[in-house]
Amino acid sequence: MTTQLKLIALDADDLAVISAHVQDARVQTSDIVWRQDEKRLVVGMLRLDWEQTLAGETAPRRLFAALRFDRVLSCKSRNIDLDAPQAALELVGIEFHPGEAPGGSALLLFAQGGALRLDVECLECELTDLGGDDLAGELD
C-alpha cells in the first residue's frame, strides 16, 4: 500500500510539484465540478502513482485523487465538451500565471488542446489521494 498524498499549493513553485504528480491523469468531464457559489473547482481523477513507478515497479498503477482549487473567481473552458459527461481527458499539467498580487490564473492543460482557466483571488490548491487503488488498477 502506497502512502496517500496530500499536497497544498499556495504559490507557483508549490503548484509545479502538484502538476508533476497529476501529469497524465485521466479525467472524465463529469468529474469536473465548478461550484461557483463556493468559489471552488474540484476535479476527480485517476492519477499515475509516480512514486511507485520511480521505485522500480514495472506495472504502472493509478490512484483515485481529487484536485481542488479554492477562491476561484471564474472558470472558463476551451475545447472541453462539458455536455459530454463520459468524455475522457488526459491532464498534461497545470501552470500559474500571476496577475494583480496575490491573484492570477491557474491553467489546467489537457491533451488535444483542452484547457480550463481559473481566475483566482490567490492560489489555493490541494491534491488529495482518495485511495481505492485496487479498483483504479482495474479501470486501466
Side-chain angles (χ1 to χ4, degrees):
M1 179 84 177
T2 307
T3 303
Q4 292 186 350
L5 283 182
K6 183 171 185 174
L7 302 174
I8 295 174
L10 301 175
D11 62 29
D13 290 338
D14 294 343
L15 191 62
V17 172
I18 287 179
S19 179
H21 283 284
V22 298
Q23 181 181 345
D24 299 327
R26 294 179 184 164
V27 176
Q28 282 188 260
T29 55
S30 61
D31 292 328
I32 299 172
V33 180
W34 166 228
R35 297 187 177 271
Q36 188 171 6
D37 293 345
E38 299 174 24
K39 295 184 176 182
R40 174 176 291 162
L41 178 87
V42 179
V43 180
M45 63 182 62
L46 279 173
R47 72 169 192 89
L48 280 170
D49 184 358
W50 291 105
E51 299 76 27
Q52 178 216 24
T53 303
L54 293 173
E57 295 291 329
T58 54
R61 180 176 60 187
R62 290 191 179 268
L63 302 170
F64 288 106
L67 181 68
R68 187 185 82 226
F69 286 87
D70 288 319
R71 304 180 85 165
V72 180
L73 301 171
S74 68
C75 176
K76 297 177 181 152
S77 66
R78 181 187 72 207
N79 295 333
I80 296 174
D81 186 357
L82 298 173
D83 293 325
Q86 299 305 313
L89 302 168
E90 182 177 316
L91 185 58
V92 176
I94 308 170
E95 300 175 350
F96 183 69
H97 298 274
E100 186 176 327
S105 297
L107 295 175
L108 285 76
L109 304 170
F110 296 91
Q112 284 81 47
L116 289 175
R117 176 182 157 177
L118 311 177
D119 292 325
V120 297
E121 294 174 22
C122 63
L123 185 58
E124 204 171 291
C125 175
E126 180 178 293
L127 173 66
T128 305
D129 284 343
L130 302 175
D133 51 9
D134 295 338
L135 178 59
E138 295 172 13
L139 296 177
D140 281 340

